[in-house]
């Protein structure tokens, strides 16, 4: 005879000797009361004594992993799993296995253990994610997507085991039925599967990581990647709005990742000013003499004058005519000045491309484009550097006898009318 049946026989015999009516119900109440008292005492010891002591120790030590362990409630959920095991052991001791009440308590205990085992696994994965997040970001590993996949699979398996307990069937039968449900599961979890595959591709090809500057106009995203999960990528735009992008869309569509710019240490400046074509002319001797005083131009002017004089002496052209021979122009000298200016600028990257080029003239004049890279990639600093450079350019243009093209404004029309009246 089993221990439960023996204990029940002794207690029932004692109840009958004392003429207790409804002995079965009294026995059931005694067992339930014992279960309840044991559960309360055990819960108090685990949660109010042991775990509270661990909480105080974690806050005193300030060790990151111990604080994370407490914050994600891993130990409290393991304690609840242990309480479920204690309930199951008590049922096996106090209740006969062939009784209905044993079947009920056993099913409740198994479901309790299964549920809190699943929550314990979730807490463990959250704990590991927080601990390994810095290393995963350095190696560009989609650790969150992997852990979310594990959670999804674990939840599916736990659901199958819970159903098998409730219907009294072997879980093997339910697992075998998954084959017929594959098409349905693929349809239901389509985004999850696509997101998981996309996460692996993004990681393997080092296409995206948390902290990158992502630009994807199709989804209105232009900002910093703050989270990469199993199915979505969250981007905090520069206006502090949040854009959520399906992970698989990053594989299916194109996007711009500015990480290369940040890692290179240089941010491109590509902007043009428009010179009024009617202000372009040959430099006169007095202009050359005045521009010689510019420190950035003195060597260039001397070298250019010697080169032009050498070539002109080899020809028999009549140099009194402006159409004969070579001469310096104010626009060419201005381009040379800008090249020297960029070369000595302390905020222009010296090892990256520096070009001052003349683009095709149009209705707005002659575009003169500055193409260079600042050595500071921060947005605010970059804009300040670019603005300072062009402030100087606009201010120095008249020194070369050039004019910046600008469409006539209302102020110009008023001055024109005033001159006409006079």
């Amino acid at each position: 005879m089993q221990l439960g049946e023996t204990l029940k026989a002794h207690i029932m015999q004692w109840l009958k000797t004392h003429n207790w009516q409804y002995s079965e119900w009294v026995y059931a109440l005694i067992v339930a009361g014992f279960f309840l008292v044991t559960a309360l005492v055990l819960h108090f010891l685990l949660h109010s004594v042991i775990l509270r002591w661990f909480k105080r120790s974690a806050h005193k030590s300030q060790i990151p992993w111990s604080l994370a362990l407490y914050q994600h409630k891993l130990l409290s959920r393991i304690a609840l799993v242990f309480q479920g095991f204690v309930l199951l052991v008590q049922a096996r001791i106090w209740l006969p296995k062939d009784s209905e009440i044993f079947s009920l308590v056993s099913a409740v205990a198994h479901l309790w253990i299964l549920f809190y085992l699943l929550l314990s696994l979730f807490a463990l994965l959250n704990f590991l994610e927080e601990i390994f997040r810095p290393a995963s970001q350095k190696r560009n590993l989609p650790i969150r997507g992997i852990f979310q996949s594990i959670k999804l699979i674990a939840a599916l398996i736990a659901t199958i085991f819970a159903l098998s307990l409730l219907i009294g069937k072997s879980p093997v039968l339910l697992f075998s039925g998954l084959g017929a449900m594959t098409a349905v599961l693929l349809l239901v979890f389509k985004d999850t599967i696509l997101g998981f595959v996309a996460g692996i591709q993004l990681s393997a090809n080092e296409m995206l990581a948390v902290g990158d500057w992502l630009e994807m106009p199709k989804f209105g995203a232009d900002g910093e990647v703050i989270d990469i999960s199993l199915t979505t990528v969250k981007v905090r735009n520069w206006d502090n709005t949040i854009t959520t992008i399906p992970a698989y869309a990053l594989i299916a569509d194109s996007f711009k990742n500015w990480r290369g710019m940040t890692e290179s240490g240089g941010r491109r400046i590509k902007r043009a000013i428009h010179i009024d074509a009617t202000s372009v002319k040959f430099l006169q001797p007095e202009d050359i003499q005045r521009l010689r005083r510019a420190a950035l131009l003195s060597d260039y002017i001397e070298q250019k004058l010697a080169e032009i004089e050498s070539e002109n002496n080899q020809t028999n052209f009549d140099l009194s005519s402006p159409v004969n021979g070579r001469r310096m122009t104010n626009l060419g000298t201005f381009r040379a000045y800008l090249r020297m200016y960029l070369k000595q600028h302390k905020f222009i990257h010296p090892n990256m491309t520096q070009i001052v080029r003349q683009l095709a003239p149009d209705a707005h004049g002659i575009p003169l484009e500055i193409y260079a890279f600042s050595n500071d990639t921060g947005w605010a600093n970059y804009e300040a550097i670019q603005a300072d450079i062009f402030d100087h350019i606009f201010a120095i243009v008249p020194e070369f006898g050039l004019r910046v093209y600008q469409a006539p404004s209302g102020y110009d029309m008023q001055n024109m009318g005033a001159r006409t009246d006079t």
Side-chain angles (χ1 to χ4, degrees):
M1 184 177 292
Q2 298 178 354
L3 180 59
E5 294 177 352
T6 304
L7 290 173
K8 180 180 179 181
H10 284 295
I11 295 175
M12 291 292 293
Q13 183 65 33
W14 181 81
L15 291 172
K16 289 178 180 179
T17 57
H18 290 79
N19 295 322
W20 283 85
Q21 295 182 349
Y22 308 109
S23 301
E24 292 284 348
W25 287 101
V26 174
Y27 176 77
L29 290 174
I30 292 173
V31 172
F34 182 76
F35 285 177
L36 180 61
V37 171
T38 305
L40 292 174
V41 172
L42 186 61
H43 187 86
F44 175 78
L45 290 175
L46 291 174
H47 295 271
S48 299
V49 178
I50 298 177
L51 292 181
R52 184 170 293 180
W53 171 83
F54 178 81
K55 176 183 177 181
R56 289 197 298 267
S57 301
H59 282 289
K60 286 181 180 179
S61 64
Q62 292 297 313
I63 301 175
W65 68 264
S66 62
L67 291 173
L69 199 66
Y70 170 75
Q71 290 171 356
H72 293 291
K73 301 180 180 180
L74 176 59
L75 296 180
S76 63
R77 291 176 178 179
I78 292 176
L80 290 168
V81 172
F82 178 72
Q83 290 178 250
F85 275 111
V86 170
L87 177 62
L88 185 60
V89 170
Q90 285 181 313
R92 293 180 180 275
I93 293 175
W94 289 95
L95 300 174
K97 290 187 178 181
D98 56 352
S99 63
E100 293 183 1
I101 190 171
F102 172 79
S103 301
L104 177 62
V105 174
S106 178
V108 171
H110 279 100
L111 289 173
W112 177 285
I113 294 170
L114 184 63
F115 177 72
Y116 281 105
L117 272 177
L118 181 64
L119 293 183
S120 299
L121 176 63
F122 288 177
L124 176 62
L125 293 176
N126 291 336
F127 166 73
L128 293 176
E129 179 185 346
E130 182 172 339
I131 295 299
F132 294 117
R133 185 183 294 123
S136 66
Q137 290 178 353
K138 289 181 181 179
R139 299 183 180 182
N140 198 19
L141 294 175
I143 189 170
R144 185 172 187 183
I146 294 172
F147 283 169
Q148 286 181 333
S149 301
I150 295 173
K151 289 179 183 180
L152 183 63
I153 295 171
L156 182 61
I157 295 174
T159 302
I160 292 174
F161 275 104
L163 290 174
S164 67
L165 284 172
L166 292 175
I167 65 177
K169 300 292 184 180
S170 172
V172 177
L173 296 175
L174 296 177
F175 279 112
S176 62
L178 287 178
M181 297 177 61
T182 301
V184 177
L185 291 174
L186 289 176
L187 181 62
V188 172
F189 296 108
K190 181 192 71 172
D191 291 343
T192 302
I193 296 171
L194 290 174
F196 178 66
V197 175
I200 294 175
Q201 290 180 313
L202 290 172
S203 173
N205 298 321
E206 297 185 355
M207 298 169 63
L208 195 67
V210 174
D212 286 353
W213 174 4
L214 179 142
E215 185 177 349
M216 201 170 187
K218 180 178 178 180
F219 293 91
D222 184 14
E224 181 183 1
V225 177
I226 58 174
D227 182 52
I228 301 177
S229 65
L230 183 61
T231 57
T232 59
V233 173
K234 290 184 179 180
V235 179
R236 184 186 298 279
N237 300 313
W238 301 126
D239 60 358
N240 283 330
T241 58
I242 304 295
T243 299
T244 302
I245 306 172
Y248 60 82
L250 297 171
I251 301 298
D253 298 320
S254 63
F255 66 92
K256 183 184 289 187
N257 189 342
W258 291 80
R259 185 202 309 164
M261 177 270 294
T262 304
E263 293 176 349
S264 68
R267 187 166 181 177
R268 187 180 70 174
I269 298 173
K270 184 175 181 290
R271 182 182 291 182
I273 61 170
H274 293 263
I275 302 297
D276 190 338
T278 61
S279 65
V280 179
K281 62 180 181 179
F282 292 122
L283 288 178
Q284 300 302 314
E286 59 271 18
D287 297 326
I288 295 175
Q289 191 62 31
R290 176 170 49 82
L291 292 174
R292 269 179 170 158
R293 296 197 296 268
L296 295 178
L297 280 176
S298 56
D299 292 340
Y300 167 79
I301 290 177
E302 298 301 331
Q303 179 184 355
K304 203 69 176 177
L305 287 175
E307 179 185 332
I308 291 173
E309 183 179 1
S310 175
E311 289 192 19
N312 288 340
N313 289 336
Q314 297 175 9
T315 66
N316 296 320
F317 297 146
D318 181 8
L319 298 180
S320 62
S321 175
V323 299
N324 294 329
R326 287 184 59 188
R327 287 173 172 80
M328 294 179 66
T329 64
N330 57 351
L331 183 58
T333 306
F334 182 53
R335 285 192 294 109
Y337 171 80
L338 292 182
R339 286 198 303 270
M340 300 299 178
Y341 176 72
L342 293 177
K343 190 173 181 179
Q344 59 83 40
H345 201 289
K346 65 178 181 179
F347 292 119
I348 296 296
H349 204 297
N351 299 323
M352 292 186 174
T353 305
Q354 297 178 18
I355 299 176
V356 180
R357 60 177 181 170
Q358 186 182 131
L359 304 180
D362 55 23
H364 300 289
I366 303 173
L368 201 62
E369 184 180 77
I370 305 297
Y371 192 101
F373 292 82
S374 68
N375 57 17
D376 193 330
T377 60
W379 188 7
N381 295 336
Y382 160 79
E383 292 292 349
I385 293 169
Q386 183 173 236
D388 287 343
I389 290 174
F390 278 87
D391 288 348
H392 177 77
I393 291 174
F394 284 118
I396 206 70
V397 164
E399 294 295 321
F400 293 83
L402 296 167
R403 293 189 301 273
V404 177
Y405 176 85
Q406 178 174 304
S409 65
Y411 178 77
D412 297 324
M413 297 301 179
Q414 288 176 0
N415 288 342
M416 187 182 301
R419 286 195 296 269
T420 303
D421 293 339
T422 58

